[in-house]
């Protein structure tokens, strides 16, 4: 049974068959986070794009030991290897998939930007379609609503993790449209309630998701949810 834990903002912990995968770790300066970077004992770090609120604690977690693998687009993976001395990196690019010890990971499109914290070019922003224990989880990353989410639907994901915060990503209404297009039965909101500009009413959003015949899953920060 795979478990998904919201670490606050757009940070997620996925636990599956003895593997711990952290997506977009942003903890130390995240006012919504309850865990610190030294409590996150992950063996894989997945990064959707280069923005500070997605990569801030990646090096701290990846450098705990040399076996931890940092997975990101090629530019971000190279930046972590060169600037933060991360030893085990895997650079990917949009549309590519790899089989990792915990499951299959495909890098999907996102409409956003990706500059790294020091101003370096962070390649293209992306999302991840992660297949574990026979279930597919789509982490959209930071993105606007876009029509090619239809192609994600063809992959028949079981769970969709979507930003709902607005301002920097799609907001609640567009995320409901995205959820409908993607068709995953379980829809999980993220990238909201971290700071005042992205405060959202998750209960109202859940009603909209339910009205589409889908199941909203609104985790509390730090509380694992069984998803597969
Ligand atoms: Ni971003
Ligand atoms: Mn962001």
């Amino acid at each position: 049974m795979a478990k998904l834990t919201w670490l606050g903002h757009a940070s997620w912990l996925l636990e599956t068959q003895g593997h711990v995968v952290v997506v977009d770790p942003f903890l130390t300066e995240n006012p919504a986070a309850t865990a610190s970077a030294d409590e996150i004992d992950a063996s894989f770090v997945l990064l959707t794009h280069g923005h500070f609120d997605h990569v801030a604690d990646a090096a701290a977690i990846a450098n705990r030991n040399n076996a931890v693998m940092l997975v990101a687009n090629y530019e971000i993976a190279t930046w972590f290897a060169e600037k933060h001395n991360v030893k085990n990196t895997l650079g990917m690019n949009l549309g590519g998939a790899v089989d990792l010890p915990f499951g299959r990971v495909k890098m999907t499109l996102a409409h956003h930007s990706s500059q790294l914290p020091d101003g370096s070019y962070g390649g293209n922003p992306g999302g991840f379609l992660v297949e574990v224990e026979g279930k597919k989880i789509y982490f959209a990353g930071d993105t606007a609503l876009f029509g090619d989410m239809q192609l994600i639907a063809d992959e028949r994901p079981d769970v969709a993790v979507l930003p709902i915060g607005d301002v920097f990503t799609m907001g609640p209404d567009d995320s409901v449209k995205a959820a409908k297009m993607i068709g995953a039965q379980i829809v999980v909101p993220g990238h909201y309630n971290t700071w005042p500009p992205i405060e959202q009413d998750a209960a109202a959003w859940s009603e909209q998701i339910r009205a589409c015949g889908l199941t909203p899953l609104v985790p509390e920060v730090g509380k694992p949810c069984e998803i597969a």
Side-chain angles (χ1 to χ4, degrees):
M1 194 67 100
K3 280 190 294 181
L4 183 69
T5 307
W6 192 28
L7 301 176
H9 195 57
S11 304
W12 299 93
L13 197 73
L14 179 64
E15 293 167 272
T16 174
Q17 295 177 322
H19 300 283
V20 180
V21 181
V22 68
V23 180
D24 288 353
F26 167 55
L27 303 164
T28 308
E29 292 181 50
N30 176 354
T34 55
S36 72
D38 12 290
E39 292 169 67
I40 306 299
D41 203 4
S43 37
F44 296 88
V45 180
L46 269 53
L47 304 177
T48 61
H49 65 292
H51 290 159
F52 181 79
D53 60 316
H54 296 258
V55 307
D57 292 291
I61 295 169
N63 284 334
R64 183 151 315 125
N65 69 64
N66 289 346
V68 181
M69 180 185 273
L70 184 148
V71 181
N73 72 28
Y74 184 81
E75 290 81 1
I76 293 172
T78 304
W79 186 82
F80 273 98
E82 289 176 354
K83 301 275 166 90
H84 291 279
N85 212 20
V86 174
K87 298 292 181 219
N88 189 8
T89 60
L90 174 66
M92 304 179 66
N93 214 324
L94 299 174
V98 285
D99 287 309
L100 294 171
F102 66 88
R104 187 166 176 82
V105 174
K106 185 173 188 179
M107 187 169 274
T108 59
L109 298 187
H111 284 259
H112 192 65
S113 53
S114 183
Q115 193 176 47
L116 283 154
D118 66 352
S120 295
Y121 174 60
N124 288 306
F128 290 109
L129 191 64
V130 177
E131 192 172 354
V132 293
E133 301 180 40
K135 300 275 182 180
K136 285 184 181 173
I137 307 155
Y138 171 50
F139 292 94
D142 282 9
T143 186
L145 174 67
F146 60 98
D148 281 353
M149 282 178 171
Q150 198 65 63
L151 299 172
I152 306 284
D154 290 347
E155 305 253 11
R156 302 199 166 278
D158 300 279
V159 180
V161 180
L162 305 176
I164 70 161
D166 223 337
V167 188
F168 309 111
T169 65
M170 56 188 173
D173 292 348
D174 278 358
S175 76
V176 171
K177 286 185 191 166
K180 244 193 267 184
M181 204 186 299
I182 295 159
Q185 186 57 44
I186 298 172
V187 190
V188 185
H191 213 279
Y192 73 105
N193 285 4
T194 322
W195 303 285
I198 57 170
E199 264 168 29
Q200 296 297 343
D201 181 349
W205 172 86
S206 295
E207 277 313 305
Q208 290 192 70
I209 291 292
R210 242 177 247 119
C212 302
L214 303 173
T215 308
L217 173 64
V218 181
E220 270 176 55
V221 173
K223 279 231 173 111
C225 302
E226 290 187 344
I227 50 150

